[in-house]
Coordinates of all heavy atoms in Angstrom, one line a residue:
M145 N 113.8 100.7 106.3 CA 112.8 100.6 107.3 C 111.4 101.0 106.7 O 111.3 102.0 106.1 CB 113.1 101.4 108.5 CG 112.3 101.1 109.8 SD 112.5 102.4 111.0 CE 114.3 102.4 111.3
S146 N 110.4 100.2 106.9 CA 109.1 100.6 106.4 C 108.5 101.7 107.3 O 108.9 101.9 108.4 CB 108.2 99.3 106.4 OG 107.8 99.0 107.7
I147 N 107.5 102.3 106.7 CA 106.8 103.4 107.4 C 106.1 102.8 108.6 O 106.1 103.4 109.7 CB 105.8 104.1 106.4 CG1 106.6 104.9 105.4 CG2 104.9 105.1 107.2 CD1 105.9 105.7 104.4
K148 N 105.5 101.7 108.4 CA 104.7 101.0 109.5 C 105.7 100.7 110.7 O 105.3 101.0 111.8 CB 104.1 99.7 109.0 CG 103.0 99.3 109.9 CD 102.3 98.1 109.4 CE 101.4 97.5 110.5 NZ 101.4 96.0 110.4
H149 N 106.9 100.2 110.3 CA 107.8 99.9 111.4 C 108.2 101.2 112.1 O 108.3 101.2 113.3 CB 109.0 99.2 110.7 CG 110.0 98.7 111.7 ND1 110.0 97.4 112.1 CD2 111.0 99.3 112.5 CE1 111.0 97.2 113.0 NE2 111.5 98.3 113.3
H150 N 108.4 102.2 111.4 CA 108.9 103.5 112.0 C 107.8 104.0 112.9 O 108.1 104.5 114.0 CB 109.1 104.5 110.9 CG 109.6 105.8 111.4 ND1 110.7 106.0 112.2 CD2 109.1 107.1 111.3 CE1 110.9 107.2 112.5 NE2 109.9 107.9 112.0
A151 N 106.5 103.9 112.5 CA 105.4 104.3 113.3 C 105.3 103.5 114.6 O 105.1 104.1 115.7 CB 104.1 104.2 112.6
Q152 N 105.6 102.2 114.5 CA 105.6 101.4 115.7 C 106.7 101.8 116.6 O 106.5 101.8 117.8 CB 105.8 99.9 115.2 CG 105.9 98.9 116.3 CD 104.5 98.7 116.9 OE1 103.5 98.9 116.4 NE2 104.5 98.2 118.2
E153 N 107.9 102.1 116.1 CA 109.0 102.5 116.9 C 108.7 103.8 117.6 O 109.0 103.9 118.8 CB 110.2 102.6 115.9 CG 111.5 102.9 116.7 CD 112.6 103.4 115.8 OE1 112.4 104.4 115.0 OE2 113.6 102.8 115.7
L154 N 108.1 104.7 116.9 CA 107.7 106.0 117.5 C 106.7 105.8 118.7 O 106.9 106.4 119.7 CB 107.0 106.9 116.5 CG 107.9 107.8 115.7 CD1 107.1 108.5 114.6 CD2 108.7 108.8 116.5
T155 N 105.7 104.9 118.4 CA 104.7 104.7 119.5 C 105.4 104.1 120.7 O 105.1 104.5 121.8 CB 103.6 103.7 118.9 OG1 103.1 104.3 117.8 CG2 102.6 103.5 120.0
E156 N 106.3 103.1 120.5 CA 107.0 102.5 121.6 C 107.9 103.5 122.3 O 107.9 103.5 123.6 CB 107.8 101.3 121.1 CG 106.9 100.1 120.9 CD 107.7 99.0 120.2 OE1 108.9 99.0 120.1 OE2 107.0 98.1 119.7
A157 N 108.5 104.4 121.6 CA 109.4 105.4 122.2 C 108.5 106.4 123.0 O 108.9 106.8 124.0 CB 110.2 106.1 121.1
G158 N 107.4 106.8 122.4 CA 106.5 107.7 123.0 C 106.0 107.1 124.3 O 105.9 107.8 125.4
L159 N 105.6 105.8 124.3 CA 105.2 105.2 125.5 C 106.2 105.1 126.6 O 106.0 105.4 127.8 CB 104.7 103.7 125.1 CG 104.3 102.8 126.3 CD1 103.1 103.4 127.0 CD2 104.0 101.4 125.8
D160 N 107.5 104.8 126.1 CA 108.6 104.8 127.0 C 108.8 106.1 127.8 O 109.0 106.1 129.0 CB 109.8 104.4 126.2 CG 110.9 103.8 127.0 OD1 110.6 103.0 127.9 OD2 112.1 104.2 126.8
C161 N 108.7 107.2 127.0 CA 108.9 108.5 127.6 C 107.8 108.8 128.6 O 108.0 109.4 129.7 CB 108.9 109.6 126.5 SG 110.2 109.5 125.3
A162 N 106.5 108.5 128.2 CA 105.4 108.8 129.1 C 105.5 108.0 130.4 O 105.1 108.5 131.4 CB 104.1 108.5 128.3
L163 N 105.9 106.7 130.2 CA 106.1 105.9 131.4 C 107.2 106.4 132.3 O 107.0 106.5 133.6 CB 106.4 104.4 131.0 CG 105.2 103.6 130.5 CD1 105.7 102.3 129.9 CD2 104.2 103.3 131.6
K164 N 108.3 106.7 131.7 CA 109.5 107.2 132.5 C 109.1 108.5 133.3 O 109.5 108.7 134.4 CB 110.6 107.5 131.6 CG 111.6 106.4 131.4 CD 112.8 106.9 130.6 CE 113.4 105.8 129.8 NZ 114.2 106.3 128.7
A165 N 108.3 109.3 132.6 CA 107.9 110.6 133.2 C 106.8 110.4 134.3 O 106.6 111.4 135.1 CB 107.4 111.6 132.2
G166 N 106.2 109.3 134.3 CA 105.1 109.1 135.2 C 103.8 109.7 134.7 O 102.8 110.0 135.5
A167 N 103.7 110.1 133.4 CA 102.5 110.7 132.9 C 101.4 109.6 132.7 O 100.3 109.9 132.8 CB 102.8 111.3 131.5
V168 N 101.9 108.4 132.4 CA 100.9 107.3 132.4 C 101.6 106.1 133.1 O 102.8 106.1 133.3 CB 100.7 106.8 130.9 CG1 100.0 107.9 130.1 CG2 102.0 106.4 130.2
A169 N 100.8 105.2 133.6 CA 101.3 104.0 134.3 C 100.3 102.9 134.1 O 99.1 103.1 133.9 CB 101.4 104.3 135.8
Y170 N 100.9 101.7 134.1 CA 100.0 100.5 134.0 C 99.4 100.3 135.4 O 100.0 100.5 136.4 CB 100.9 99.3 133.6 CG 101.3 99.3 132.2 CD1 102.6 99.6 131.8 CD2 100.4 99.0 131.2 CE1 103.0 99.6 130.5 CE2 100.8 99.1 129.8 CZ 102.1 99.4 129.5 OH 102.4 99.4 128.2
C171 N 98.2 99.8 135.3 CA 97.4 99.5 136.6 C 98.3 98.4 137.3 O 98.8 97.5 136.8 CB 96.1 98.9 136.3 SG 95.2 98.3 137.7
S172 N 98.4 98.6 138.7 CA 99.2 97.7 139.5 C 98.7 96.3 139.5 O 99.4 95.3 139.7 CB 99.4 98.2 140.9 OG 98.1 98.5 141.4
R173 N 97.4 96.1 139.2 CA 96.8 94.8 139.2 C 96.5 94.3 137.8 O 96.3 93.1 137.6 CB 95.5 94.8 140.0 CG 95.8 94.9 141.5 CD 94.5 94.5 142.3 NE 93.6 95.7 142.4 CZ 92.4 95.5 142.8 NH1 91.9 94.3 143.1 NH2 91.6 96.6 142.9
H174 N 96.4 95.2 136.8 CA 96.1 94.7 135.4 C 97.2 95.4 134.5 O 97.0 96.5 134.1 CB 94.7 95.2 135.0 CG 93.7 94.7 136.0 ND1 93.2 95.6 137.0 CD2 93.1 93.5 136.2 CE1 92.3 94.9 137.7 NE2 92.2 93.7 137.3
E175 N 98.2 94.6 134.3 CA 99.4 95.2 133.6 C 99.1 95.6 132.2 O 99.9 96.3 131.6 CB 100.6 94.3 133.7 CG 100.4 92.9 133.1 CD 101.6 92.0 133.3 OE1 102.4 92.3 134.2 OE2 101.7 91.0 132.5
E176 N 98.0 95.2 131.6 CA 97.7 95.5 130.2 C 96.9 96.9 130.1 O 96.7 97.4 129.0 CB 96.9 94.4 129.5 CG 95.4 94.3 129.9 CD 95.2 93.5 131.2 OE1 96.2 93.3 132.0 OE2 94.1 93.0 131.4
I177 N 96.5 97.4 131.3 CA 95.7 98.6 131.3 C 96.6 99.8 131.6 O 97.3 99.9 132.6 CB 94.6 98.6 132.4 CG1 93.7 97.4 132.1 CG2 93.8 99.9 132.3 CD1 92.9 97.4 130.9
L178 N 96.7 100.7 130.6 CA 97.5 101.9 130.7 C 96.6 103.1 131.1 O 95.6 103.4 130.5 CB 98.2 102.2 129.3 CG 99.2 103.3 129.3 CD1 100.5 102.8 130.1 CD2 99.6 103.6 127.9
C179 N 97.0 103.7 132.3 CA 96.2 104.8 132.8 C 96.9 106.1 132.7 O 98.1 106.2 133.0 CB 95.9 104.5 134.3 SG 94.9 103.0 134.5
D180 N 96.1 107.1 132.4 CA 96.6 108.5 132.3 C 96.6 109.0 133.8 O 95.7 108.9 134.5 CB 95.6 109.3 131.5 CG 96.0 110.8 131.4 OD1 97.0 111.1 132.0 OD2 95.2 111.5 130.8
K181 N 97.8 109.5 134.2 CA 97.9 109.9 135.6 C 97.4 111.3 135.8 O 97.3 111.8 136.9 CB 99.4 109.9 136.0 CG 100.0 108.5 135.9 CD 99.3 107.4 136.6 CE 99.5 107.4 138.1 NZ 98.8 106.2 138.7
R182 N 97.0 112.0 134.7 CA 96.4 113.3 134.7 C 97.3 114.3 135.5 O 96.7 115.0 136.4 CB 95.0 113.3 135.3 CG 94.1 112.4 134.4 CD 92.7 112.8 134.7 NE 91.8 111.6 134.7 CZ 90.5 111.7 134.8 NH1 89.9 112.9 134.9 NH2 89.7 110.7 134.8
D183 N 98.5 114.3 135.3 CA 99.5 115.1 135.9 C 100.2 116.0 134.9 O 101.0 115.5 134.2 CB 100.5 114.3 136.7 CG 101.5 115.1 137.4 OD1 101.6 116.3 137.2 OD2 102.3 114.5 138.2
P184 N 99.8 117.3 134.8 CA 100.3 118.2 133.8 C 101.9 118.3 133.9 O 102.5 118.4 132.9 CB 99.7 119.5 134.1 CG 98.5 119.2 134.9 CD 98.8 118.0 135.7
E185 N 102.4 118.2 135.1 CA 103.8 118.3 135.3 C 104.5 117.1 134.7 O 105.6 117.2 134.1 CB 104.2 118.5 136.7 CG 104.0 119.9 137.2 CD 104.4 120.1 138.7 OE1 105.2 119.3 139.2 OE2 103.8 121.0 139.3
A186 N 103.9 115.9 134.9 CA 104.4 114.7 134.4 C 104.3 114.7 132.9 O 105.3 114.2 132.2 CB 103.7 113.5 134.9
N187 N 103.3 115.3 132.3 CA 103.2 115.4 130.9 C 104.3 116.2 130.3 O 104.9 115.9 129.3 CB 101.8 116.0 130.5 CG 100.6 115.1 130.8 OD1 100.8 114.0 131.2 ND2 99.5 115.6 130.6
D188 N 104.6 117.4 131.0 CA 105.7 118.2 130.5 C 107.0 117.5 130.6 O 107.9 117.6 129.7 CB 105.8 119.5 131.4 CG 104.7 120.5 131.1 OD1 104.0 120.3 130.1 OD2 104.5 121.4 131.9
R189 N 107.1 116.7 131.7 CA 108.4 115.9 131.8 C 108.5 114.9 130.7 O 109.6 114.6 130.2 CB 108.3 115.2 133.2 CG 109.6 115.0 133.9 CD 109.5 114.9 135.4 NE 108.5 114.0 135.8 CZ 107.5 114.3 136.8 NH1 107.5 115.5 137.3 NH2 106.7 113.4 137.1
A190 N 107.4 114.3 130.3 CA 107.4 113.3 129.2 C 107.9 114.0 127.9 O 108.7 113.4 127.2 CB 106.0 112.7 129.0
Y191 N 107.4 115.2 127.6 CA 107.8 115.9 126.4 C 109.3 116.2 126.5 O 110.0 116.2 125.5 CB 107.0 117.1 126.2 CG 105.5 116.8 125.9 CD1 104.5 117.4 126.6 CD2 105.2 116.0 124.8 CE1 103.2 117.1 126.4 CE2 103.9 115.7 124.6 CZ 102.9 116.2 125.3 OH 101.6 115.9 125.1
A192 N 109.8 116.6 127.7 CA 111.2 116.9 127.9 C 112.1 115.7 127.7 O 113.1 115.8 127.0 CB 111.4 117.5 129.3
I193 N 111.6 114.5 128.2 CA 112.4 113.3 128.0 C 112.4 112.9 126.5 O 113.4 112.5 126.0 CB 111.7 112.2 128.8 CG1 111.9 112.4 130.3 CG2 112.3 110.8 128.4 CD1 111.2 111.5 131.2
A194 N 111.3 113.2 125.8 CA 111.2 112.9 124.4 C 112.2 113.8 123.6 O 112.9 113.3 122.7 CB 109.8 113.1 123.9
T195 N 112.2 115.0 123.9 CA 113.1 116.0 123.3 C 114.6 115.5 123.5 O 115.3 115.5 122.5 CB 112.9 117.4 123.9 OG1 111.6 117.8 123.6 CG2 113.8 118.4 123.2
N196 N 114.9 115.1 124.7 CA 116.2 114.7 125.0 C 116.6 113.4 124.2 O 117.7 113.2 123.8 CB 116.4 114.5 126.5 CG 116.5 115.8 127.2 OD1 116.8 116.8 126.7 ND2 116.1 115.7 128.5
A197 N 115.6 112.5 124.1 CA 115.8 111.3 123.4 C 116.2 111.5 121.9 O 117.0 110.9 121.4 CB 114.6 110.3 123.5
V198 N 115.5 112.5 121.3 CA 115.7 112.8 119.9 C 117.1 113.4 119.8 O 117.9 113.1 119.0 CB 114.7 113.7 119.4 CG1 115.1 114.2 118.0 CG2 113.3 113.0 119.3
K199 N 117.4 114.4 120.7 CA 118.7 115.1 120.7 C 119.9 114.1 120.9 O 120.9 114.2 120.3 CB 118.8 116.1 121.9 CG 118.2 117.4 121.5 CD 118.5 118.4 122.7 CE 117.6 119.7 122.5 NZ 117.5 120.4 123.7
A200 N 119.6 113.0 121.8 CA 120.7 112.0 122.0 C 120.8 111.0 120.9 O 121.6 110.1 120.9 CB 120.4 111.3 123.3
G201 N 119.9 111.1 119.9 CA 119.9 110.2 118.8 C 119.3 108.8 119.1 O 119.5 107.9 118.4
E202 N 118.6 108.7 120.2 CA 118.0 107.4 120.6 C 116.8 107.1 119.7 O 116.4 106.0 119.6 CB 117.6 107.5 122.1 CG 118.8 107.4 123.0 CD 118.4 107.9 124.4 OE1 117.2 107.8 124.8 OE2 119.3 108.3 125.2
V203 N 116.2 108.2 119.2 CA 115.0 108.0 118.4 C 115.3 108.8 117.1 O 115.7 110.0 117.2 CB 113.7 108.6 119.1 CG1 112.5 108.3 118.2 CG2 113.5 107.9 120.4
S204 N 115.0 108.1 116.0 CA 115.3 108.8 114.7 C 114.0 109.6 114.3 O 112.9 109.3 114.7 CB 115.6 107.8 113.6 OG 114.6 106.8 113.5
G205 N 114.3 110.6 113.4 CA 113.2 111.4 112.9 C 113.1 112.7 113.7 O 113.8 112.9 114.7
P206 N 112.2 113.6 113.2 CA 112.0 114.9 113.8 C 111.4 114.8 115.2 O 110.7 113.9 115.5 CB 111.1 115.7 112.8 CG 110.5 114.6 112.0 CD 111.3 113.4 112.0
R207 N 111.8 115.8 116.0 CA 111.3 115.9 117.4 C 109.8 115.9 117.4 O 109.2 115.3 118.3 CB 111.9 117.1 118.0 CG 111.5 117.5 119.4 CD 112.3 118.7 119.8 NE 111.6 119.4 120.9 CZ 110.7 120.4 120.7 NH1 110.5 120.8 119.6 NH2 110.2 120.9 121.8
E208 N 109.2 116.6 116.5 CA 107.7 116.8 116.5 C 107.0 115.4 116.4 O 105.9 115.2 117.0 CB 107.2 117.6 115.3 CG 107.5 119.1 115.5 CD 109.0 119.4 115.3 OE1 109.7 118.6 114.7 OE2 109.5 120.4 115.9
E209 N 107.6 114.5 115.7 CA 107.0 113.2 115.5 C 106.9 112.4 116.8 O 105.9 111.8 117.2 CB 107.8 112.3 114.5 CG 107.4 112.5 113.1 CD 108.1 111.5 112.2 OE1 108.9 110.7 112.7 OE2 107.8 111.5 111.0
L210 N 108.0 112.5 117.6 CA 108.0 111.8 118.9 C 107.1 112.5 119.9 O 106.4 111.9 120.7 CB 109.5 111.7 119.4 CG 109.6 110.9 120.7 CD1 109.1 109.5 120.6 CD2 111.0 110.9 121.2
L211 N 107.1 113.9 119.8 CA 106.2 114.6 120.8 C 104.8 114.2 120.5 O 104.0 114.1 121.4 CB 106.4 116.1 120.6 CG 107.8 116.7 121.1 CD1 107.8 118.2 121.1 CD2 108.2 116.2 122.4
D212 N 104.4 114.1 119.2 CA 103.1 113.7 118.8 C 102.8 112.3 119.3 O 101.7 112.0 119.8 CB 102.9 113.7 117.3 CG 102.5 115.0 116.7 OD1 102.2 115.9 117.5 OD2 102.4 115.1 115.5
A213 N 103.8 111.4 119.2 CA 103.6 110.0 119.7 C 103.4 110.0 121.2 O 102.5 109.3 121.7 CB 104.8 109.2 119.4
V214 N 104.1 110.9 122.0 CA 103.9 111.0 123.4 C 102.5 111.5 123.7 O 101.8 110.9 124.6 CB 104.9 111.9 124.0 CG1 104.6 112.2 125.5 CG2 106.3 111.4 123.9
K215 N 102.1 112.5 123.0 CA 100.7 113.0 123.2 C 99.6 112.0 122.9 O 98.7 111.9 123.7 CB 100.5 114.2 122.2 CG 99.2 115.0 122.4 CD 99.1 116.2 121.5 CE 97.9 117.0 121.9 NZ 96.7 116.3 121.8
T216 N 99.8 111.2 121.8 CA 98.9 110.1 121.5 C 98.8 109.1 122.6 O 97.7 108.7 123.0 CB 99.3 109.4 120.2 OG1 99.3 110.4 119.2 CG2 98.3 108.4 119.8
V217 N 99.9 108.7 123.2 CA 99.9 107.8 124.3 C 99.2 108.3 125.5 O 98.3 107.6 126.0 CB 101.4 107.4 124.7 CG1 101.4 106.7 126.0 CG2 102.1 106.6 123.6
I218 N 99.4 109.6 125.8 CA 98.7 110.2 127.0 C 97.2 110.3 126.7 O 96.4 110.0 127.5 CB 99.4 111.5 127.3 CG1 100.8 111.3 127.8 CG2 98.5 112.3 128.4 CD1 101.6 112.6 127.9
D219 N 96.9 110.8 125.4 CA 95.5 111.0 125.1 C 94.7 109.7 125.0 O 93.5 109.7 125.3 CB 95.4 111.7 123.7 CG 95.7 113.2 123.7 OD1 95.9 113.7 124.8 OD2 95.9 113.8 122.7
T220 N 95.4 108.6 124.6 CA 94.6 107.4 124.5 C 94.6 106.5 125.7 O 94.0 105.5 125.8 CB 95.1 106.6 123.3 OG1 96.5 106.3 123.5 CG2 94.9 107.3 122.0
A221 N 95.4 106.9 126.7 CA 95.4 106.1 128.0 C 94.1 106.3 128.7 O 93.4 107.3 128.6 CB 96.6 106.6 128.9
A222 N 93.7 105.2 129.4 CA 92.4 105.3 130.1 C 92.5 106.2 131.3 O 93.6 106.4 131.9 CB 92.1 103.9 130.6
S223 N 91.4 106.8 131.6 CA 91.4 107.8 132.8 C 91.5 107.0 134.1 O 91.7 107.5 135.1 CB 90.2 108.7 132.8 OG 89.0 108.0 132.7
G224 N 91.2 105.7 134.0 CA 91.3 104.8 135.2 C 91.1 103.4 134.7 O 90.7 103.2 133.6
C225 N 91.5 102.5 135.6 CA 91.4 101.1 135.1 C 90.0 100.6 135.2 O 89.3 100.7 136.2 CB 92.3 100.2 136.1 SG 92.0 98.4 135.7
P226 N 89.4 100.2 134.0 CA 88.0 99.8 134.0 C 87.7 98.6 134.9 O 86.6 98.5 135.5 CB 87.7 99.5 132.6 CG 89.1 99.3 131.9 CD 90.0 100.1 132.7
Y227 N 88.7 97.7 135.0 CA 88.5 96.5 135.9 C 88.4 96.9 137.3 O 87.6 96.4 138.1 CB 89.6 95.5 135.6 CG 89.7 95.0 134.2 CD1 90.8 95.2 133.5 CD2 88.6 94.4 133.6 CE1 90.9 94.8 132.2 CE2 88.6 94.0 132.3 CZ 89.8 94.2 131.6 OH 89.8 93.8 130.3
C228 N 89.4 97.8 137.8 CA 89.4 98.1 139.2 C 88.2 99.0 139.6 O 87.7 98.8 140.6 CB 90.7 98.9 139.5 SG 92.2 97.9 139.5
S229 N 87.8 99.9 138.6 CA 86.6 100.7 139.0 C 85.4 99.9 139.0 O 84.5 100.1 139.8 CB 86.5 101.9 138.0 OG 86.6 101.5 136.7
A230 N 85.4 98.8 138.2 CA 84.2 97.9 138.2 C 84.1 97.1 139.4 O 83.1 96.7 139.9 CB 84.3 97.0 137.0
A231 N 85.3 96.8 140.0 CA 85.4 96.0 141.2 C 85.0 96.7 142.4 O 84.6 96.1 143.5 CB 86.8 95.4 141.4
R232 N 85.0 98.1 142.3 CA 84.7 98.9 143.5 C 83.2 98.9 143.8 O 82.4 98.8 142.9 CB 85.2 100.3 143.3 CG 86.4 100.6 144.1 CD 87.0 102.0 143.8 NE 88.4 101.9 143.3 CZ 88.8 102.7 142.4 NH1 88.1 103.5 141.7 NH2 90.1 102.6 142.0
Ligands
LIG409 ZN1 93.2 97.4 137.4

């Protein structure tokens, strides 16, 4: 597996964890816009889900890598949908 492929897999797994936890969510009207829900409890839940996914062997590599990926997903998510806020 190439390094690039692994990074892609990590990003997708991180996104999956963040979505499952409700830490981030796609805008209900613009499915390409990922929004940060700004919920610290949901963020903690995302990290817990990531830890469990590594323990369960669903994601390969060290736990820190996936936790970093989750953090990146949350950090890079928009604070709100730019289209919806523009429409208001
Ligand atoms: Zn929107």
Side-chain angles (χ1 to χ4, degrees):
M145 193 195 298
S146 71
I147 290 182
K148 195 173 168 217
H149 188 99
H150 182 59
Q152 178 70 24
E153 185 191 58
L154 269 177
T155 303
E156 281 170 14
L159 174 60
D160 201 42
C161 294
L163 282 171
K164 269 188 210 159
V168 296
Y170 288 104
C171 173
S172 53
R173 285 196 280 167
H174 308 96
E175 61 184 19
E176 74 278 20
I177 304 294
L178 190 65
C179 299
D180 179 2
K181 303 308 277 182
R182 298 201 220 187
D183 179 350
E185 282 180 24
N187 293 356
D188 287 347
R189 212 153 48 228
Y191 294 126
I193 290 171
T195 300
N196 288 337
V198 172
K199 275 186 193 160
E202 287 165 21
V203 182
S204 58
R207 174 174 160 269
E208 288 72 24
E209 270 188 358
L210 183 58
L211 294 189
D212 270 356
V214 172
K215 186 176 187 304
T216 301
V217 166
I218 295 170
D219 283 352
T220 56
S223 55
C225 175
Y227 300 121
C228 287
S229 51
R232 255 176 236 140

